[in-house]
Amino acid sequence: MSLTAALVLGGCTGDGDSSDEGGKKAPAPSKTAEQRSAVQAMAAATKKTTEAKSARVEMTMTAPGMPEAMDMQGVMSWDPVAIDFTMSGSAFAPGAAGDPSAPSEMRMIMIEDVMYVNAGEAMAAETDGKSWLKMDLTALAEQSGDEALADQMTGGLDDMGRSPAEQMALLLDSPNIEHVGEEQLDGATTQHYQGTMTVEEMLEIEAEESESGEYMTEEERTELLQGMEESGIKGMDLEVWINEDDMPVQLTMVMDSPEGSVEVTQRITDYGVTVAPEAPPADETIDFMEMMEELGGPGAMEPGAV
């Protein structure tokens, strides 16, 4: 499961192959003056978000297979990547879905590519007091030989480390980005923007023609889009509310995954907050890969084994 959902774009996708006769990728679509103004506002917010490097986030996610919405709150940094969240509303430890003994609330820490999830007393009772589950996302992908499989096993947790700026940057190339209007949010005046775009459209645009190039490298952009494409994501629908300081205070992202619609809403405050989580003590931690091998034998991490 990837962290994203529903998109029916109608005429936004265009007809046939948008490449020219020489096989070159299409340039970014031209925009009206009103759309260009919306892009400039989104670009200013994207730049300030990138520079802020961290924030406090309240997030709600719904996705196929989840018995109820999952709520997360805490702090996150995107330069460097670090997260300290408390999750509630749905069992989220791998293999715990539907288990009545699973905790209703979990703490999750992410430091670069390593995730730690506190699975509570039920797990501790089965693992000699070890309540923390460690997931090295890079090692998972390498061991399984299948990044999509690793993403499925970890529930798309790595996507949580994505900066709000990355989400907004991709939509800067949208051919239909627009200013919805002025709205009050938590008593403050905000400007509401929205845009939609297919992954196919984003992949077709030359990196040097992309509005997102200022906020992520060509390699980062390609890796992100290819990961979405390999996961079966067809496109994204993003709404952003920007305050008077040019900072996004709410984002709602919807994507269409093969499993169904995934929707994520983020409320963002306290830009620049300190984020410095520490890894749990080793004697309270069990490695996810080791646990999988013990449960399923040597082949438990091979593609097709789960």
Side-chain angles (χ1 to χ4, degrees):
M1 181 186 67
S2 196
L3 212 169
T4 16
L7 185 58
V8 179
L9 294 177
C12 180
T13 55
D15 297 323
D17 186 357
S18 61
S19 300
D20 61 22
E21 293 181 358
K24 295 181 179 179
K25 293 181 179 179
S30 59
K31 296 179 175 67
T32 66
E34 184 177 353
Q35 288 172 327
R36 176 54 57 184
S37 176
V39 168
Q40 290 173 343
M42 287 274 286
T46 300
K47 184 175 186 295
K48 293 195 72 171
T49 303
T50 301
E51 293 171 347
K53 299 185 178 181
S54 65
R56 189 173 303 278
V57 179
E58 294 182 13
M59 185 185 307
T60 299
M61 180 169 70
T62 59
M66 282 188 177
E68 56 186 13
M70 181 175 65
D71 296 320
M72 292 163 278
Q73 58 182 344
V75 293
M76 68 177 296
S77 166
W78 41 91
D79 185 16
V81 173
I83 291 175
D84 193 342
F85 277 172
T86 297
M87 306 182 292
S88 61
S90 182
F92 205 76
D99 183 353
S101 66
S104 60
E105 183 175 282
M106 294 184 183
R107 184 181 176 195
M108 184 268 286
I109 293 172
M110 182 174 180
I111 305 173
E112 292 294 345
D113 290 333
V114 180
M115 191 83 66
Y116 300 90
V117 177
N118 191 321
E121 296 179 0
M123 189 177 105
E126 301 292 332
T127 56
D128 297 325
K130 297 180 178 180
S131 59
W132 287 91
L133 189 64
K134 176 183 177 181
M135 291 176 280
D136 186 321
L137 303 177
T138 300
L140 276 171
E142 292 176 351
Q143 181 72 15
S144 69
D146 185 339
E147 291 188 8
L149 175 63
D151 188 61
Q152 179 184 3
M153 289 188 294
T154 60
L157 284 169
D158 53 329
D159 286 343
M160 292 183 188
R162 300 221 177 271
S163 160
E166 289 188 27
Q167 301 168 30
M168 292 190 294
L170 288 178
L171 264 294
L172 294 177
D173 294 320
S174 172
N176 61 1
I177 189 170
E178 64 179 352
H179 179 221
V180 178
E182 182 176 292
E183 297 180 12
Q184 294 294 307
L185 191 65
D186 293 336
T189 300
T190 67
Q191 302 300 323
H192 181 186
Y193 297 88
Q194 68 179 18
T196 59
M197 200 165 187
T198 66
V199 172
E200 181 181 5
E201 285 174 325
M202 289 185 271
L203 285 167
E204 285 177 347
I205 296 174
E206 292 281 6
E208 59 268 22
E209 297 281 350
S210 171
E211 300 275 359
S212 65
E214 185 176 345
Y215 309 102
M216 62 179 75
T217 66
E218 180 177 355
E219 182 180 357
E220 289 171 339
R221 181 177 183 273
T222 300
E223 181 180 326
L224 176 58
L225 292 176
Q226 287 181 345
M228 292 170 67
E229 185 180 43
E230 290 169 2
S231 297
I233 300 298
K234 300 299 182 183
M236 60 188 296
D237 183 340
L238 183 68
E239 295 186 75
V240 183
W241 287 259
I242 299 173
N243 67 13
E244 295 177 335
D245 295 323
D246 293 332
M247 303 298 287
V249 292
Q250 179 169 303
L251 288 86
T252 295
M253 180 167 58
V254 182
M255 289 191 184
D256 185 17
S257 76
E259 294 81 17
S261 177
V262 183
E263 180 173 334
V264 181
T265 294
Q266 301 177 55
R267 301 293 290 270
I268 310 169
T269 59
D270 296 339
Y271 280 97
V273 67
T274 299
V275 184
E278 295 183 359
D283 60 359
E284 298 179 16
T285 303
I286 184 169
D287 187 270
F288 178 54
M289 289 199 297
E290 294 178 3
M291 184 179 71
M292 289 294 292
E293 290 175 356
E294 290 177 3
L295 291 173
M301 289 296 297
E302 294 178 1
V306 294

